[in-house]
Amino acid sequence: MYKKTLLPLLLVAALAGCSAETAEAPKEPVRPVKVVEIAPAATTRELSYSGAVRARSEAPAGFRVGGKIVDRQVDIGDRVIAGDVLARIDATDYELSLASARASLLAAERQVETADFALKRADQLFKQQVAAKAQLEQAQLTHNQAVAARDSARATLSQAENQVGYAVLKADRDGIVTAVHADAGQVVAAGTPVVTVAVDGEKEVSIAVPEGDVFAFSPGKVVEVGLWSNDNLALKGTVREVAGSADSASRTFAVRVSLPSDQRVLLGMTASVKTVADSDQPLFSLPLSALARGPSDRPIVWTVDPAAQTVHERPVTVVDFSEAGVRVSDGLKAGDLVVVAGTQFMTEDLKVKLAQGDAEQAALATGSIVPSSQTR
């Protein structure tokens, strides 16, 4: 009797256990993803570098003599014309030297007058056969020495006058003050920069280009120039100069791009220089969000198998970054579907669900549906 009652209970318990195990079995997750289709590889690459607008001719101005600055009459941004006073130094010592030079010249001129009188007297006595020829020659030598001393005094006076004039720093050309290096009260040596004046005229953009791209810029090449302050302004610039050697600190080459005359371009503005260079390998463009890191810290992307609806890891080689995203050289081919959102949740062979538009794109890629334009 007990055996007949126990058997049905065991069967019920076994069925209940199977049902529980079936209900608790985890289902494989299906994640929704957003993808893009890889376009055909490009054989050229766009280069873009930022720089600043500057004057073609721009040099620091300094005093030709040393001294203490007593007055600086310009500031950054001031416009100057040729002859305007930029700064002055204390000229007291140079004025004293000038006074001494004038006195020395006056004394030298009196010496010449005395020597000239003695020479004429010696010449008369020699003609009257009263004085020897040696006395005449001595008088002539003294006269020549006095004339040489006078000429030297005149040169010294001119030099002293120049030094007094050099105590005033003047602009030699029209332009705009772009930098100030010294102020009143500072003692400067001869040639020390005091202010920098950008000469009116042609403007240019100065950029720094790494050695890998320097050959894309050659003198005379036309490039596109844009301004950060005005997105609608696009200018055609011309590469004027490429440095013959790299900067010792940054290891980049200085490139200067001449700009056409335009009133909207002001000194100091931030500009971008764009050009196209040939690529020695095919390049595929991707959104930056598609890039991820693999277990070995190598750049990877996740591609979608449209037939199996699974994702797979694909190592890639990053060439450079652009405004549109990132460019890679290998690891992909045209038509691949690459995940661009949620890459941090991806694992190998993970089941995914494409958005409606992406699903139709994947179906077209596998040939499972025909575009509506072909069914008409």
Side-chain angles (χ1 to χ4, degrees), residues 4 14 41-42 112 115 137 140 150-151 180 255 262 267 275 317 321:
K4 291 181 180 181
V112 171
E137 292 175 347
Q140 182 66 52
R150 181 197 61 188
D151 294 342
V180 173
V255 176
D262 195 305
L267 297 177
T275 188
T317 301
F321 296 87

Side-chain angles (χ1 to χ4, degrees), residues 172-231:
D172 55 354
R173 286 177 288 182
D174 300 350
I176 298 175
V177 178
T178 58
V180 173
H181 308 285
D183 208 344
Q186 183 174 344
V187 177
V188 295
T192 301
V194 177
V195 297
T196 298
V197 177
V199 180
D200 287 343
E202 184 179 350
K203 298 182 180 69
E204 63 184 18
V205 177
S206 177
I207 60 176
V209 180
E211 57 183 295
D213 296 333
V214 69
F215 293 107
F217 297 87
S218 57
K221 183 176 181 179
V222 178
V223 296
E224 181 181 345
V225 180
L227 295 179
W228 180 81
S229 60
N230 190 345
D231 294 336

Side-chain angles (χ1 to χ4, degrees), residues 275-300:
T275 188
V276 175
D278 294 333
S279 177
D280 55 356
Q281 53 189 344
L283 299 177
F284 299 94
S285 296
L286 290 171
L288 188 58
S289 59
L291 199 63
R293 287 287 181 180
S296 59
D297 204 32
R298 179 179 178 181
I300 64 168

Side-chain angles (χ1 to χ4, degrees), residues 1-341:
M1 178 178 179
Y2 291 106
K3 292 182 179 179
K4 291 181 180 181
T5 304
L6 184 60
L7 183 59
L9 292 175
L10 292 175
L11 291 174
V12 172
L15 291 174
C18 292
S19 299
E21 291 178 0
T22 303
E24 294 176 1
K27 295 182 179 180
E28 185 178 3
V30 178
R31 287 192 176 275
V33 293
K34 182 177 178 58
V35 299
V36 295
E37 182 178 357
I38 299 300
T43 57
T44 60
R45 56 195 180 99
E46 183 182 90
L47 305 178
S48 179
Y49 293 98
S50 297
V53 177
R54 55 187 301 176
R56 178 170 181 174
S57 178
E58 184 178 19
F63 292 100
R64 298 175 66 174
V65 293
K68 180 181 180 180
I69 299 177
V70 295
D71 182 26
R72 177 173 57 79
Q73 299 188 2
V74 294
D75 291 306
I76 296 177
D78 290 349
R79 177 169 290 278
V80 297
I81 61 175
D84 283 353
V85 176
L86 305 178
R88 302 175 187 272
I89 62 173
D90 185 3
T92 302
D93 292 341
Y94 300 110
E95 290 173 349
L96 292 175
S97 297
L98 176 60
S100 176
R102 285 173 177 168
S104 297
L105 176 59
L106 184 61
E109 289 176 343
R110 300 290 83 81
Q111 289 291 336
V112 171
E113 292 176 0
T114 302
D116 183 65
F117 176 79
L119 177 61
K120 291 179 179 179
R121 180 63 178 169
D123 183 61
Q124 291 177 356
L125 294 176
F126 176 74
K127 289 179 178 179
Q128 296 175 1
Q129 297 183 353
V130 175
K133 186 176 181 180
Q135 294 179 347
L136 176 62
E137 292 175 347
Q138 181 65 34
Q140 182 66 52
L141 179 61
T142 302
H143 180 269
N144 292 343
Q145 290 177 341
V147 170
R150 181 197 61 188
D151 294 342
S152 176
R154 284 178 177 174
T156 301
L157 176 61
S158 297
Q159 185 178 19
E161 291 174 342
N162 289 340
Q163 289 181 334
V164 172
Y166 295 154
V168 179
L169 181 61
K170 297 181 179 181
D172 55 354
R173 286 177 288 182
D174 300 350
I176 298 175
V177 178
T178 58
V180 173
H181 308 285
D183 208 344
Q186 183 174 344
V187 177
V188 295
T192 301
V194 177
V195 297
T196 298
V197 177
V199 180
D200 287 343
E202 184 179 350
K203 298 182 180 69
E204 63 184 18
V205 177
S206 177
I207 60 176
V209 180
E211 57 183 295
D213 296 333
V214 69
F215 293 107
F217 297 87
S218 57
K221 183 176 181 179
V222 178
V223 296
E224 181 181 345
V225 180
L227 295 179
W228 180 81
S229 60
N230 190 345
D231 294 336
N232 298 323
L233 181 59
L235 303 174
K236 295 296 182 182
T238 304
V239 178
R240 181 179 68 85
E241 178 183 274
V242 179
S245 61
D247 182 82
S248 58
S250 64
R251 305 308 303 166
T252 57
F253 291 80
V255 176
R256 294 178 177 266
V257 178
S258 298
L259 298 177
S261 179
D262 195 305
Q263 297 298 326
R264 294 170 293 180
V265 180
L266 303 179
L267 297 177
M269 282 186 168
T270 302
S272 61
V273 177
K274 297 180 180 180
T275 188
V276 175
D278 294 333
S279 177
D280 55 356
Q281 53 189 344
L283 299 177
F284 299 94
S285 296
L286 290 171
L288 188 58
S289 59
L291 199 63
R293 287 287 181 180
S296 59
D297 204 32
R298 179 179 178 181
I300 64 168
V301 297
W302 292 96
T303 59
V304 176
D305 183 351
Q309 297 285 295
T310 55
V311 294
H312 303 280
E313 178 183 314
R314 190 80 64 84
V316 294
T317 301
V318 176
V319 176
D320 58 16
F321 296 87
S322 65
E323 296 179 356
V326 61
R327 287 190 287 255
V328 300
S329 60
D330 55 15
L332 295 174
K333 64 180 182 299
D336 282 345
L337 299 179
V338 176
V339 177
V340 295

